[in-house]
Amino acid sequence: MSTVRGARERARIEVTAAIKDEARRMLAAEGAAKLSLRAVARELGMVSSALYRYFPSRDELLTALIVDAYDSVGAAAEEADARARTAGAPPRARWAEVCGAFRAWALAHPHEYSLIYGSPVPGYSAPLDTVGPAARAANTLIGIVHAAHRGRGIALPPLPAALRPEAERMTADFAEGLPPEVTAALVAAWAQLVGLVSCEVFGQFNRVVEDRDAFFAHAADRLAHAVGLPSV
């Protein structure tokens, strides 16, 4: 019985992977708004009722693709930081490696990047299942700042008095242990990082920035400075 169950589980994993692969191909060709279970089933030679046993709705398939994309870019960020830590890199160099890994993943997976950081999909509302995976890349950067704060310390960025209550709330929500000044700067830095990468992925830097590697390295270092990371 266990052998039969194992074979069924392997088959389910294989079919699920095939469905996701076809859905990603459709995302690249037509965009998320036009994704449909019937179209995926047709391309795979499946009847729609069979595909519904794996993904009961388009939104559940979209959620699976979104979670996979967030996990993939999150893993890239975490692995880059782990390599930098193993090499003994200081926090600012770790920050640079993670930002570079985020950019490299986006350039290698533009359609998946668009799915999670581009325009919202009409009629789709992301469930709570996506929250944890969505935070992985940003949490890697937060962890680097925590390490610096516990170590040699960080410079406190300026914080307007009117923003302090919101900065304190954000700190309690996802950056406990950091000064509110740093949390506010981190949120701004993350938004700017996504904006930088989005401009490159979506072609906004065409005829504007030529040496994009050098430009990105400089911009990422400025973000590290903005959150208070020491230069060494």
Side-chain angles (χ1 to χ4, degrees):
M1 179 63 99
S2 61
T3 301
V4 173
R5 185 181 300 114
R8 288 175 177 170
E9 290 175 355
R10 286 193 297 273
R12 184 173 185 84
I13 290 171
E14 290 172 1
V15 174
T16 299
I19 292 170
K20 289 181 179 179
D21 287 344
E22 179 58 32
R24 291 188 188 98
R25 189 195 67 77
M26 289 188 172
L27 287 179
E30 302 182 42
K34 294 186 177 180
L35 181 66
S36 77
L37 293 183
R38 289 183 179 276
V40 172
R42 182 172 60 251
E43 291 299 320
L44 292 176
M46 299 173 64
V47 295
S48 298
S49 57
L51 191 145
Y52 291 144
R53 291 199 292 269
Y54 295 86
F55 296 100
S57 69
R58 181 211 67 159
D59 283 6
E60 291 199 26
L61 176 55
L62 269 176
T63 296
L65 297 177
I66 288 168
V67 168
D68 283 354
Y70 276 133
D71 277 335
S72 181
V73 68
E78 292 163 359
E79 289 163 7
D81 187 38
R83 289 192 298 270
R85 282 189 286 111
T86 299
R92 193 133 166 181
R94 288 169 57 188
W95 175 281
E97 289 297 320
V98 171
C99 289
F102 182 83
R103 172 184 178 239
W105 183 91
L107 293 175
H109 305 86
H111 303 294
E112 291 171 75
Y113 180 87
S114 179
L115 179 63
I116 55 179
Y117 294 112
S119 300
V121 180
Y124 174 79
S125 180
L128 290 177
D129 296 0
T130 62
V131 173
R136 287 178 64 177
N139 281 343
T140 305
L141 293 175
I142 292 173
I144 293 170
V145 176
H146 265 295
H149 183 52
R150 292 191 302 267
R152 297 186 60 184
I154 49 182
L156 294 185
L159 180 68
L163 184 56
R164 181 165 293 276
E166 176 65 2
E168 290 174 346
R169 182 200 61 78
M170 291 189 294
T171 298
D173 281 352
F174 55 80
E176 189 172 358
L178 287 178
E181 292 89 345
V182 175
T183 303
L186 266 168
V187 173
W190 174 252
Q192 291 172 73
L193 175 62
V194 173
L196 280 166
V197 172
S198 294
C199 281
E200 187 169 4
V201 172
F202 301 141
Q204 301 302 316
F205 281 162
N206 292 348
R207 299 186 180 181
V208 177
V209 179
E210 296 296 335
D211 189 346
R212 295 178 185 174
D213 291 346
F215 180 83
F216 182 83
H218 171 73
D221 186 67
R222 289 297 83 200
L223 295 180
H225 175 77
V227 302
L229 289 179
S231 58
V232 293

